[in-house]
Amino acid sequence: MPDDSAPEPTHRALGLTDDELSMIMTTLGREPNHLELAMYSVMWSEHCSYKSSRIHLKRFPSKAPHVLIGPGEGAGVVDVGDGIAVAIRIESHNHPSAIEPYQGAATGVGGILRDIFSMGARPIAVMDPLRFGPLDDPRSRWIAEGVVSGVSGYGNSVGVPTVGGETVFDPTYVGNPLVNVLCLGVMPRERLVLGRAEGPGNLAVLLGASTGRDGIGGSRSWRLRGSPIPRPMPRSDRACRSATPSRRSA
């Protein structure tokens, strides 16, 4: 009989299966150390690689004459006619929102806004289907209040309205909510920008404040030779940025 008192193997504690450990060892040609296991755990997680849902996502149709960009870029883009393209991005921030509801949900909204910007589009609307445990459960109520505040706080700060969504409360979601956010952006079709930089001679430029030794605090944007010059920041965004204290003055 298995010894239940034996410590759990490191790879399992990090969320890796026995088969995945075998793949890692084959790739490295040796046993991985703890740091390497942790890195594989993060990069092979559902959040980063969609390892459990990818097989289901592939079943959705993603090719059609009006589909300009399918899977592989920051957001999907479709041609809606009259020279206008629409960029759509959906993000899930379930477990981060269970740990820190406000920041987890706000980061989800921020991520999809960034993805829409990166395609050359201007975000115009956010939607958020949410699932929580019953409100008579204190932790579920704390999560729900924080998530709603995070979604509205981030979206309102940059002037993108939350135009719809739905909220369901069920015991299934006690301890781990579902926090899904959708962002829609529009642009002239010719403004479409891709993240790929193919061919030699492309120049990448890093702009913004430097990242602190704590790993946060940086502001980065990349521009590739031959890509459109970014437009000036909208007035509402400038106001938000100017209202944020800089790291030097903090």
Side-chain angles (χ1 to χ4, degrees):
M1 296 180 63
D3 183 6
D4 295 336
S5 63
E8 185 178 25
T10 302
H11 69 280
R12 291 185 186 176
L14 291 171
L16 293 168
T17 66
D18 294 345
D19 289 341
E20 288 172 334
L21 176 61
S22 297
M23 293 173 60
I24 293 170
M25 293 176 64
T26 300
T27 301
L28 297 178
R30 56 175 173 78
E31 290 191 8
N33 59 40
H34 190 100
L35 175 60
E36 290 167 337
L37 277 177
M39 294 174 66
Y40 272 105
S41 173
V42 171
M43 298 310 299
W44 286 8
S45 68
E46 176 66 19
H47 183 77
C48 291
S49 68
Y50 299 94
K51 69 178 182 180
S52 64
S53 58
R54 185 185 304 170
I55 186 173
H56 303 291
L57 295 173
K58 287 182 177 180
R59 298 167 62 187
F60 288 98
S62 59
K63 296 181 180 180
H66 60 279
V67 176
L68 301 179
I69 299 296
E73 285 284 345
V77 182
V78 295
D79 187 344
V80 296
D82 294 330
I84 301 298
V86 170
I88 304 172
R89 172 69 176 177
I90 300 174
E91 177 90 6
S92 295
H93 257 230
N94 306 327
H95 196 58
S97 299
I99 297 174
E100 214 305 313
Y102 185 95
Q103 298 295 344
T107 304
V109 179
I112 61 173
L113 288 169
R114 172 205 61 210
D115 293 333
I116 295 298
F117 276 127
S118 71
M119 304 304 297
R122 184 183 184 92
I124 63 170
V126 172
M127 298 182 69
D128 54 307
L130 308 173
R131 302 289 188 273
F132 304 110
L135 288 179
D136 57 4
D137 173 60
R139 181 170 178 81
S140 295
R141 186 168 61 251
W142 173 71
I143 291 175
E145 292 174 349
V147 166
V148 171
S149 298
V151 171
S152 61
Y154 202 117
N156 290 341
S157 294
V158 297
V160 180
T162 300
V163 300
E166 60 181 10
T167 306
V168 173
F169 301 93
D170 188 272
T172 304
Y173 306 105
V174 170
N176 197 44
L178 296 186
V179 178
N180 300 303
V181 186
L182 176 147
C183 184
L184 182 143
V186 296
M187 61 180 159
R189 178 170 172 165
E190 64 271 12
R191 190 178 291 170
L192 176 63
V193 178
L194 302 181
R196 297 189 301 270
E198 299 177 345
N202 290 300
L203 177 65
V205 181
L206 178 62
L207 305 173
S210 60
T211 302
R213 288 183 295 175
D214 52 7
I216 61 176
S219 175
R220 301 179 176 180
S221 62
W222 294 88
R223 178 181 169 227
L224 299 174
R225 178 178 293 159
S227 63
I229 297 176
R231 291 173 296 156
M233 186 183 297
R235 180 174 299 176
S236 60
D237 292 352
R238 290 202 304 269
C240 292
R241 186 71 59 82
S242 63
T244 303
S246 65
R247 296 177 64 246
R248 290 184 177 180
S249 60

